Amino acid sequence: MFPAMLLGPSFTGIYLTRRLDGREGLKDLFARMRRVRFPLRWYSALLIPPLMVLSVLFLLKTFVSPAYAPNRFWLGVSFGLLAGFLEEIGWTGFAYPRLRQRFALLPAAAILGLFWGLWHAPVIDFLGAASPHGKDLPAFFAAFAAAMAAMRVLIAWFYEHTQSLALAQLIHISSTGSLVVFSPPTISPTHEATWYALYAAVLWLLVLLLTSLFPLNTENRLLPGNSPRSTRAY
C-alpha cells in the first residue's frame, strides 16, 4: 500500500492537470515546483514540525513519563523525502487550488487535510512506533488525522504567501521526517495516541494564531483554465 499511497496523488495530480488545463496547466504546475526564490523568512516553516514535536515530547517526558523521551533516528528524514515530493504534486499542486476557488483558506485546507488523513487509513496501523495499536487504533487514527489536518492548513498558509509548491513539498518532508526521527521508540499504543493528540492540539493552536494575527489579504491565484471567483475572508 505504501507505494500506491505515494504515487497515487502525484500521478493523479499530473494526469488531471493535463486533462483539465492542458499543456499550460502542466507548465504552471512544474513552474510552482521550481519556485524557490522568495524571502528567506518563509523557510522558517521547515522548523515548525521538529520544534513542535520536540516541545510536546519534552513536556510529556518532564511532567508525565520518561517513556515520552524523543528518539534520534536520523535516517528517518529519508522517510519523508518521497512522501513530501510525490504527494504534494497532487495535494497542493492540484487539489488545493481548486478547493480554494470555492472556499476560504481555512475550510479549503481543512477539507483537504481531512482527506489527507483518511488517505492513510489503509496503513495507519503500521505508522508510529507502537504498531500494532490494538484497541487504541481508533484514538490514534483520530489524533493522527487531526494533526495532519492542522499541518495541511499550515502548508496551505505558507503556500498562499509564496505560491511555491516546492516549499509545500519541503514542509511535508519536514513533517513526516520529524515524526519518524523523534517518535519515542519504546512507547505504548496508549501513550502514542496521547502524544499525537497533544501534538495536534498544539498545531491547531498555531494555526489559529497565524490565521488570526496574519490574515490573508491577497487575491486568489488561479491555475490556467479556471474562471475567477471572489476571494473570501477567513
Side-chain angles (χ1 to χ4, degrees), residues 25-43:
L26 280 181
K27 288 181 180 179
D28 178 77
L29 176 65
F30 295 136
R32 286 179 284 138
M33 290 177 64
R34 298 190 301 270
R35 188 168 296 149
V36 295
R37 295 183 178 179
F38 40 81
L40 188 62
R41 67 179 182 272
W42 296 113
Y43 283 103

mmCIF file with all atom_site columns, all heavy atoms in Angstrom, residues 25-43:
data_model
loop_
_atom_site.group_PDB
_atom_site.id
_atom_site.type_symbol
_atom_site.label_atom_id
_atom_site.label_alt_id
_atom_site.label_comp_id
_atom_site.label_asym_id
_atom_site.label_entity_id
_atom_site.label_seq_id
_atom_site.pdbx_PDB_ins_code
_atom_site.Cartn_x
_atom_site.Cartn_y
_atom_site.Cartn_z
_atom_site.occupancy
_atom_site.B_iso_or_equiv
_atom_site.pdbx_formal_charge
_atom_site.auth_seq_id
_atom_site.auth_comp_id
_atom_site.auth_asym_id
_atom_site.auth_atom_id
_atom_site.pdbx_PDB_model_num
ATOM 1   N N   . GLY A 1 25 ? -1.382 24.196 -18.161 1.00 0.00 ? 25 GLY A N   1
ATOM 2   C CA  . GLY A 1 25 ? -1.558 23.811 -16.766 1.00 0.00 ? 25 GLY A CA  1
ATOM 3   C C   . GLY A 1 25 ? -0.373 23.030 -16.236 1.00 0.00 ? 25 GLY A C   1
ATOM 4   O O   . GLY A 1 25 ? 0.066  23.249 -15.098 1.00 0.00 ? 25 GLY A O   1
ATOM 5   N N   . LEU A 1 26 ? 0.144  22.123 -17.057 1.00 0.00 ? 26 LEU A N   1
ATOM 6   C CA  . LEU A 1 26 ? 1.322  21.373 -16.641 1.00 0.00 ? 26 LEU A CA  1
ATOM 7   C C   . LEU A 1 26 ? 2.536  22.284 -16.479 1.00 0.00 ? 26 LEU A C   1
ATOM 8   O O   . LEU A 1 26 ? 3.328  22.125 -15.539 1.00 0.00 ? 26 LEU A O   1
ATOM 9   C CB  . LEU A 1 26 ? 1.641  20.270 -17.658 1.00 0.00 ? 26 LEU A CB  1
ATOM 10  C CG  . LEU A 1 26 ? 0.816  18.988 -17.573 1.00 0.00 ? 26 LEU A CG  1
ATOM 11  C CD1 . LEU A 1 26 ? 1.272  17.994 -18.619 1.00 0.00 ? 26 LEU A CD1 1
ATOM 12  C CD2 . LEU A 1 26 ? 0.914  18.369 -16.184 1.00 0.00 ? 26 LEU A CD2 1
ATOM 13  N N   . LYS A 1 27 ? 2.689  23.238 -17.386 1.00 0.00 ? 27 LYS A N   1
ATOM 14  C CA  . LYS A 1 27 ? 3.804  24.176 -17.273 1.00 0.00 ? 27 LYS A CA  1
ATOM 15  C C   . LYS A 1 27 ? 3.715  24.958 -15.967 1.00 0.00 ? 27 LYS A C   1
ATOM 16  O O   . LYS A 1 27 ? 4.719  25.183 -15.289 1.00 0.00 ? 27 LYS A O   1
ATOM 17  C CB  . LYS A 1 27 ? 3.811  25.141 -18.460 1.00 0.00 ? 27 LYS A CB  1
ATOM 18  C CG  . LYS A 1 27 ? 4.238  24.508 -19.777 1.00 0.00 ? 27 LYS A CG  1
ATOM 19  C CD  . LYS A 1 27 ? 4.226  25.549 -20.895 1.00 0.00 ? 27 LYS A CD  1
ATOM 20  C CE  . LYS A 1 27 ? 4.650  24.932 -22.217 1.00 0.00 ? 27 LYS A CE  1
ATOM 21  N NZ  . LYS A 1 27 ? 4.618  25.927 -23.325 1.00 0.00 ? 27 LYS A NZ  1
ATOM 22  N N   . ASP A 1 28 ? 2.501  25.369 -15.624 1.00 0.00 ? 28 ASP A N   1
ATOM 23  C CA  . ASP A 1 28 ? 2.311  26.107 -14.377 1.00 0.00 ? 28 ASP A CA  1
ATOM 24  C C   . ASP A 1 28 ? 2.610  25.226 -13.163 1.00 0.00 ? 28 ASP A C   1
ATOM 25  O O   . ASP A 1 28 ? 3.246  25.664 -12.204 1.00 0.00 ? 28 ASP A O   1
ATOM 26  C CB  . ASP A 1 28 ? 0.877  26.626 -14.299 1.00 0.00 ? 28 ASP A CB  1
ATOM 27  C CG  . ASP A 1 28 ? 0.599  27.358 -13.004 1.00 0.00 ? 28 ASP A CG  1
ATOM 28  O OD1 . ASP A 1 28 ? 1.020  28.515 -12.880 1.00 0.00 ? 28 ASP A OD1 1
ATOM 29  O OD2 . ASP A 1 28 ? -0.024 26.746 -12.102 1.00 0.00 ? 28 ASP A OD2 1
ATOM 30  N N   . LEU A 1 29 ? 2.161  23.969 -13.215 1.00 0.00 ? 29 LEU A N   1
ATOM 31  C CA  . LEU A 1 29 ? 2.404  23.033 -12.116 1.00 0.00 ? 29 LEU A CA  1
ATOM 32  C C   . LEU A 1 29 ? 3.902  22.854 -11.883 1.00 0.00 ? 29 LEU A C   1
ATOM 33  O O   . LEU A 1 29 ? 4.388  22.961 -10.748 1.00 0.00 ? 29 LEU A O   1
ATOM 34  C CB  . LEU A 1 29 ? 1.757  21.690 -12.430 1.00 0.00 ? 29 LEU A CB  1
ATOM 35  C CG  . LEU A 1 29 ? 2.001  20.553 -11.433 1.00 0.00 ? 29 LEU A CG  1
ATOM 36  C CD1 . LEU A 1 29 ? 1.373  20.883 -10.082 1.00 0.00 ? 29 LEU A CD1 1
ATOM 37  C CD2 . LEU A 1 29 ? 1.448  19.232 -11.968 1.00 0.00 ? 29 LEU A CD2 1
ATOM 38  N N   . PHE A 1 30 ? 4.632  22.599 -12.958 1.00 0.00 ? 30 PHE A N   1
ATOM 39  C CA  . PHE A 1 30 ? 6.072  22.375 -12.815 1.00 0.00 ? 30 PHE A CA  1
ATOM 40  C C   . PHE A 1 30 ? 6.807  23.664 -12.461 1.00 0.00 ? 30 PHE A C   1
ATOM 41  O O   . PHE A 1 30 ? 7.847  23.628 -11.797 1.00 0.00 ? 30 PHE A O   1
ATOM 42  C CB  . PHE A 1 30 ? 6.633  21.753 -14.085 1.00 0.00 ? 30 PHE A CB  1
ATOM 43  C CG  . PHE A 1 30 ? 6.101  20.374 -14.366 1.00 0.00 ? 30 PHE A CG  1
ATOM 44  C CD1 . PHE A 1 30 ? 5.703  20.002 -15.641 1.00 0.00 ? 30 PHE A CD1 1
ATOM 45  C CD2 . PHE A 1 30 ? 5.979  19.447 -13.342 1.00 0.00 ? 30 PHE A CD2 1
ATOM 46  C CE1 . PHE A 1 30 ? 5.209  18.736 -15.894 1.00 0.00 ? 30 PHE A CE1 1
ATOM 47  C CE2 . PHE A 1 30 ? 5.481  18.174 -13.583 1.00 0.00 ? 30 PHE A CE2 1
ATOM 48  C CZ  . PHE A 1 30 ? 5.092  17.816 -14.867 1.00 0.00 ? 30 PHE A CZ  1
ATOM 49  N N   . ALA A 1 31 ? 6.279  24.798 -12.895 1.00 0.00 ? 31 ALA A N   1
ATOM 50  C CA  . ALA A 1 31 ? 6.886  26.084 -12.525 1.00 0.00 ? 31 ALA A CA  1
ATOM 51  C C   . ALA A 1 31 ? 6.768  26.320 -11.029 1.00 0.00 ? 31 ALA A C   1
ATOM 52  O O   . ALA A 1 31 ? 7.703  26.827 -10.389 1.00 0.00 ? 31 ALA A O   1
ATOM 53  C CB  . ALA A 1 31 ? 6.229  27.225 -13.299 1.00 0.00 ? 31 ALA A CB  1
ATOM 54  N N   . ARG A 1 32 ? 5.619  25.954 -10.438 1.00 0.00 ? 32 ARG A N   1
ATOM 55  C CA  . ARG A 1 32 ? 5.454  26.112 -8.994  1.00 0.00 ? 32 ARG A CA  1
ATOM 56  C C   . ARG A 1 32 ? 6.357  25.159 -8.212  1.00 0.00 ? 32 ARG A C   1
ATOM 57  O O   . ARG A 1 32 ? 6.740  25.441 -7.078  1.00 0.00 ? 32 ARG A O   1
ATOM 58  C CB  . ARG A 1 32 ? 3.984  25.899 -8.608  1.00 0.00 ? 32 ARG A CB  1
ATOM 59  C CG  . ARG A 1 32 ? 3.089  27.066 -8.991  1.00 0.00 ? 32 ARG A CG  1
ATOM 60  C CD  . ARG A 1 32 ? 1.647  26.827 -8.620  1.00 0.00 ? 32 ARG A CD  1
ATOM 61  N NE  . ARG A 1 32 ? 1.001  25.901 -9.524  1.00 0.00 ? 32 ARG A NE  1
ATOM 62  C CZ  . ARG A 1 32 ? 0.174  24.919 -9.145  1.00 0.00 ? 32 ARG A CZ  1
ATOM 63  N NH1 . ARG A 1 32 ? -0.072 24.734 -7.857  1.00 0.00 ? 32 ARG A NH1 1
ATOM 64  N NH2 . ARG A 1 32 ? -0.391 24.131 -10.033 1.00 0.00 ? 32 ARG A NH2 1
ATOM 65  N N   . MET A 1 33 ? 6.714  24.034 -8.831  1.00 0.00 ? 33 MET A N   1
ATOM 66  C CA  . MET A 1 33 ? 7.642  23.114 -8.190  1.00 0.00 ? 33 MET A CA  1
ATOM 67  C C   . MET A 1 33 ? 9.072  23.654 -8.199  1.00 0.00 ? 33 MET A C   1
ATOM 68  O O   . MET A 1 33 ? 9.898  23.251 -7.379  1.00 0.00 ? 33 MET A O   1
ATOM 69  C CB  . MET A 1 33 ? 7.603  21.748 -8.891  1.00 0.00 ? 33 MET A CB  1
ATOM 70  C CG  . MET A 1 33 ? 6.323  20.973 -8.664  1.00 0.00 ? 33 MET A CG  1
ATOM 71  S SD  . MET A 1 33 ? 6.277  19.402 -9.585  1.00 0.00 ? 33 MET A SD  1
ATOM 72  C CE  . MET A 1 33 ? 7.626  18.532 -8.814  1.00 0.00 ? 33 MET A CE  1
ATOM 73  N N   . ARG A 1 34 ? 9.345  24.581 -9.118  1.00 0.00 ? 34 ARG A N   1
ATOM 74  C CA  . ARG A 1 34 ? 10.693 25.167 -9.205  1.00 0.00 ? 34 ARG A CA  1
ATOM 75  C C   . ARG A 1 34 ? 10.784 26.523 -8.526  1.00 0.00 ? 34 ARG A C   1
ATOM 76  O O   . ARG A 1 34 ? 11.844 27.142 -8.519  1.00 0.00 ? 34 ARG A O   1
ATOM 77  C CB  . ARG A 1 34 ? 11.108 25.314 -10.672 1.00 0.00 ? 34 ARG A CB  1
ATOM 78  C CG  . ARG A 1 34 ? 11.194 24.009 -11.440 1.00 0.00 ? 34 ARG A CG  1
ATOM 79  C CD  . ARG A 1 34 ? 11.838 24.204 -12.807 1.00 0.00 ? 34 ARG A CD  1
ATOM 80  N NE  . ARG A 1 34 ? 11.107 25.160 -13.619 1.00 0.00 ? 34 ARG A NE  1
ATOM 81  C CZ  . ARG A 1 34 ? 10.116 24.839 -14.451 1.00 0.00 ? 34 ARG A CZ  1
ATOM 82  N NH1 . ARG A 1 34 ? 9.719  23.575 -14.566 1.00 0.00 ? 34 ARG A NH1 1
ATOM 83  N NH2 . ARG A 1 34 ? 9.509  25.756 -15.171 1.00 0.00 ? 34 ARG A NH2 1
ATOM 84  N N   . ARG A 1 35 ? 9.671  26.982 -7.960  1.00 0.00 ? 35 ARG A N   1
ATOM 85  C CA  . ARG A 1 35 ? 9.655  28.326 -7.369  1.00 0.00 ? 35 ARG A CA  1
ATOM 86  C C   . ARG A 1 35 ? 10.262 28.264 -5.967  1.00 0.00 ? 35 ARG A C   1
ATOM 87  O O   . ARG A 1 35 ? 9.616  27.863 -5.005  1.00 0.00 ? 35 ARG A O   1
ATOM 88  C CB  . ARG A 1 35 ? 8.224  28.852 -7.316  1.00 0.00 ? 35 ARG A CB  1
ATOM 89  C CG  . ARG A 1 35 ? 8.101  30.314 -6.898  1.00 0.00 ? 35 ARG A CG  1
ATOM 90  C CD  . ARG A 1 35 ? 6.691  30.808 -7.154  1.00 0.00 ? 35 ARG A CD  1
ATOM 91  N NE  . ARG A 1 35 ? 6.384  30.796 -8.567  1.00 0.00 ? 35 ARG A NE  1
ATOM 92  C CZ  . ARG A 1 35 ? 5.160  30.589 -9.082  1.00 0.00 ? 35 ARG A CZ  1
ATOM 93  N NH1 . ARG A 1 35 ? 4.148  30.356 -8.277  1.00 0.00 ? 35 ARG A NH1 1
ATOM 94  N NH2 . ARG A 1 35 ? 4.960  30.600 -10.395 1.00 0.00 ? 35 ARG A NH2 1
ATOM 95  N N   . VAL A 1 36 ? 11.514 28.661 -5.868  1.00 0.00 ? 36 VAL A N   1
ATOM 96  C CA  . VAL A 1 36 ? 12.230 28.615 -4.596  1.00 0.00 ? 36 VAL A CA  1
ATOM 97  C C   . VAL A 1 36 ? 12.807 29.975 -4.211  1.00 0.00 ? 36 VAL A C   1
ATOM 98  O O   . VAL A 1 36 ? 13.416 30.110 -3.146  1.00 0.00 ? 36 VAL A O   1
ATOM 99  C CB  . VAL A 1 36 ? 13.376 27.578 -4.645  1.00 0.00 ? 36 VAL A CB  1
ATOM 100 C CG1 . VAL A 1 36 ? 12.819 26.175 -4.819  1.00 0.00 ? 36 VAL A CG1 1
ATOM 101 C CG2 . VAL A 1 36 ? 14.359 27.905 -5.768  1.00 0.00 ? 36 VAL A CG2 1
ATOM 102 N N   . ARG A 1 37 ? 12.606 30.978 -5.047  1.00 0.00 ? 37 ARG A N   1
ATOM 103 C CA  . ARG A 1 37 ? 13.157 32.303 -4.758  1.00 0.00 ? 37 ARG A CA  1
ATOM 104 C C   . ARG A 1 37 ? 12.081 33.185 -4.144  1.00 0.00 ? 37 ARG A C   1
ATOM 105 O O   . ARG A 1 37 ? 11.188 33.689 -4.826  1.00 0.00 ? 37 ARG A O   1
ATOM 106 C CB  . ARG A 1 37 ? 13.707 32.947 -6.036  1.00 0.00 ? 37 ARG A CB  1
ATOM 107 C CG  . ARG A 1 37 ? 14.895 32.204 -6.625  1.00 0.00 ? 37 ARG A CG  1
ATOM 108 C CD  . ARG A 1 37 ? 15.434 32.925 -7.850  1.00 0.00 ? 37 ARG A CD  1
ATOM 109 N NE  . ARG A 1 37 ? 16.595 32.233 -8.396  1.00 0.00 ? 37 ARG A NE  1
ATOM 110 C CZ  . ARG A 1 37 ? 17.257 32.625 -9.481  1.00 0.00 ? 37 ARG A CZ  1
ATOM 111 N NH1 . ARG A 1 37 ? 16.861 33.718 -10.127 1.00 0.00 ? 37 ARG A NH1 1
ATOM 112 N NH2 . ARG A 1 37 ? 18.291 31.938 -9.909  1.00 0.00 ? 37 ARG A NH2 1
ATOM 113 N N   . PHE A 1 38 ? 12.125 33.331 -2.841  1.00 0.00 ? 38 PHE A N   1
ATOM 114 C CA  . PHE A 1 38 ? 11.244 34.225 -2.098  1.00 0.00 ? 38 PHE A CA  1
ATOM 115 C C   . PHE A 1 38 ? 11.964 34.548 -0.802  1.00 0.00 ? 38 PHE A C   1
ATOM 116 O O   . PHE A 1 38 ? 12.993 33.936 -0.486  1.00 0.00 ? 38 PHE A O   1
ATOM 117 C CB  . PHE A 1 38 ? 9.865  33.582 -1.843  1.00 0.00 ? 38 PHE A CB  1
ATOM 118 C CG  . PHE A 1 38 ? 9.918  32.127 -1.483  1.00 0.00 ? 38 PHE A CG  1
ATOM 119 C CD1 . PHE A 1 38 ? 10.212 31.725 -0.187  1.00 0.00 ? 38 PHE A CD1 1
ATOM 120 C CD2 . PHE A 1 38 ? 9.693  31.152 -2.433  1.00 0.00 ? 38 PHE A CD2 1
ATOM 121 C CE1 . PHE A 1 38 ? 10.273 30.398 0.152   1.00 0.00 ? 38 PHE A CE1 1
ATOM 122 C CE2 . PHE A 1 38 ? 9.749  29.802 -2.104  1.00 0.00 ? 38 PHE A CE2 1
ATOM 123 C CZ  . PHE A 1 38 ? 10.031 29.427 -0.805  1.00 0.00 ? 38 PHE A CZ  1
ATOM 124 N N   . PRO A 1 39 ? 11.489 35.541 -0.038  1.00 0.00 ? 39 PRO A N   1
ATOM 125 C CA  . PRO A 1 39 ? 12.205 35.941 1.176   1.00 0.00 ? 39 PRO A CA  1
ATOM 126 C C   . PRO A 1 39 ? 12.542 34.757 2.075   1.00 0.00 ? 39 PRO A C   1
ATOM 127 O O   . PRO A 1 39 ? 11.740 33.845 2.275   1.00 0.00 ? 39 PRO A O   1
ATOM 128 C CB  . PRO A 1 39 ? 11.225 36.905 1.855   1.00 0.00 ? 39 PRO A CB  1
ATOM 129 C CG  . PRO A 1 39 ? 10.467 37.503 0.714   1.00 0.00 ? 39 PRO A CG  1
ATOM 130 C CD  . PRO A 1 39 ? 10.308 36.398 -0.284  1.00 0.00 ? 39 PRO A CD  1
ATOM 131 N N   . LEU A 1 40 ? 13.739 34.790 2.637   1.00 0.00 ? 40 LEU A N   1
ATOM 132 C CA  . LEU A 1 40 ? 14.267 33.684 3.422   1.00 0.00 ? 40 LEU A CA  1
ATOM 133 C C   . LEU A 1 40 ? 13.382 33.335 4.608   1.00 0.00 ? 40 LEU A C   1
ATOM 134 O O   . LEU A 1 40 ? 13.345 32.185 5.049   1.00 0.00 ? 40 LEU A O   1
ATOM 135 C CB  . LEU A 1 40 ? 15.682 34.030 3.902   1.00 0.00 ? 40 LEU A CB  1
ATOM 136 C CG  . LEU A 1 40 ? 16.474 32.911 4.594   1.00 0.00 ? 40 LEU A CG  1
ATOM 137 C CD1 . LEU A 1 40 ? 16.689 31.738 3.634   1.00 0.00 ? 40 LEU A CD1 1
ATOM 138 C CD2 . LEU A 1 40 ? 17.811 33.451 5.088   1.00 0.00 ? 40 LEU A CD2 1
ATOM 139 N N   . ARG A 1 41 ? 12.646 34.307 5.137   1.00 0.00 ? 41 ARG A N   1
ATOM 140 C CA  . ARG A 1 41 ? 11.847 34.061 6.350   1.00 0.00 ? 41 ARG A CA  1
ATOM 141 C C   . ARG A 1 41 ? 10.807 32.962 6.140   1.00 0.00 ? 41 ARG A C   1
ATOM 142 O O   . ARG A 1 41 ? 10.410 32.290 7.103   1.00 0.00 ? 41 ARG A O   1
ATOM 143 C CB  . ARG A 1 41 ? 11.153 35.348 6.791   1.00 0.00 ? 41 ARG A CB  1
ATOM 144 C CG  . ARG A 1 41 ? 10.080 35.860 5.842   1.00 0.00 ? 41 ARG A CG  1
ATOM 145 C CD  . ARG A 1 41 ? 9.431  37.130 6.376   1.00 0.00 ? 41 ARG A CD  1
ATOM 146 N NE  . ARG A 1 41 ? 8.365  37.630 5.511   1.00 0.00 ? 41 ARG A NE  1
ATOM 147 C CZ  . ARG A 1 41 ? 8.559  38.455 4.493   1.00 0.00 ? 41 ARG A CZ  1
ATOM 148 N NH1 . ARG A 1 41 ? 9.795  38.862 4.207   1.00 0.00 ? 41 ARG A NH1 1
ATOM 149 N NH2 . ARG A 1 41 ? 7.547  38.868 3.759   1.00 0.00 ? 41 ARG A NH2 1
ATOM 150 N N   . TRP A 1 42 ? 10.367 32.757 4.895   1.00 0.00 ? 42 TRP A N   1
ATOM 151 C CA  . TRP A 1 42 ? 9.349  31.742 4.667   1.00 0.00 ? 42 TRP A CA  1
ATOM 152 C C   . TRP A 1 42 ? 9.889  30.338 4.858   1.00 0.00 ? 42 TRP A C   1
ATOM 153 O O   . TRP A 1 42 ? 9.135  29.401 5.115   1.00 0.00 ? 42 TRP A O   1
ATOM 154 C CB  . TRP A 1 42 ? 8.741  31.896 3.271   1.00 0.00 ? 42 TRP A CB  1
ATOM 155 C CG  . TRP A 1 42 ? 8.023  33.198 3.110   1.00 0.00 ? 42 TRP A CG  1
ATOM 156 C CD1 . TRP A 1 42 ? 8.360  34.241 2.302   1.00 0.00 ? 42 TRP A CD1 1
ATOM 157 C CD2 . TRP A 1 42 ? 6.836  33.615 3.804   1.00 0.00 ? 42 TRP A CD2 1
ATOM 158 N NE1 . TRP A 1 42 ? 7.471  35.274 2.439   1.00 0.00 ? 42 TRP A NE1 1
ATOM 159 C CE2 . TRP A 1 42 ? 6.521  34.916 3.354   1.00 0.00 ? 42 TRP A CE2 1
ATOM 160 C CE3 . TRP A 1 42 ? 6.012  33.015 4.766   1.00 0.00 ? 42 TRP A CE3 1
ATOM 161 C CZ2 . TRP A 1 42 ? 5.427  35.620 3.834   1.00 0.00 ? 42 TRP A CZ2 1
ATOM 162 C CZ3 . TRP A 1 42 ? 4.915  33.724 5.241   1.00 0.00 ? 42 TRP A CZ3 1
ATOM 163 C CH2 . TRP A 1 42 ? 4.634  35.004 4.776   1.00 0.00 ? 42 TRP A CH2 1
ATOM 164 N N   . TYR A 1 43 ? 11.201 30.176 4.765   1.00 0.00 ? 43 TYR A N   1
ATOM 165 C CA  . TYR A 1 43 ? 11.793 28.862 5.007   1.00 0.00 ? 43 TYR A CA  1
ATOM 166 C C   . TYR A 1 43 ? 11.750 28.486 6.486   1.00 0.00 ? 43 TYR A C   1
ATOM 167 O O   . TYR A 1 43 ? 12.034 27.341 6.844   1.00 0.00 ? 43 TYR A O   1
ATOM 168 C CB  . TYR A 1 43 ? 13.237 28.816 4.496   1.00 0.00 ? 43 TYR A CB  1
ATOM 169 C CG  . TYR A 1 43 ? 13.329 28.679 2.992   1.00 0.00 ? 43 TYR A CG  1
ATOM 170 C CD1 . TYR A 1 43 ? 13.633 29.767 2.185   1.00 0.00 ? 43 TYR A CD1 1
ATOM 171 C CD2 . TYR A 1 43 ? 13.106 27.453 2.373   1.00 0.00 ? 43 TYR A CD2 1
ATOM 172 C CE1 . TYR A 1 43 ? 13.717 29.640 0.808   1.00 0.00 ? 43 TYR A CE1 1
ATOM 173 C CE2 . TYR A 1 43 ? 13.183 27.313 1.000   1.00 0.00 ? 43 TYR A CE2 1
ATOM 174 C CZ  . TYR A 1 43 ? 13.493 28.410 0.217   1.00 0.00 ? 43 TYR A CZ  1
ATOM 175 O OH  . TYR A 1 43 ? 13.556 28.276 -1.154  1.00 0.00 ? 43 TYR A OH  1
#
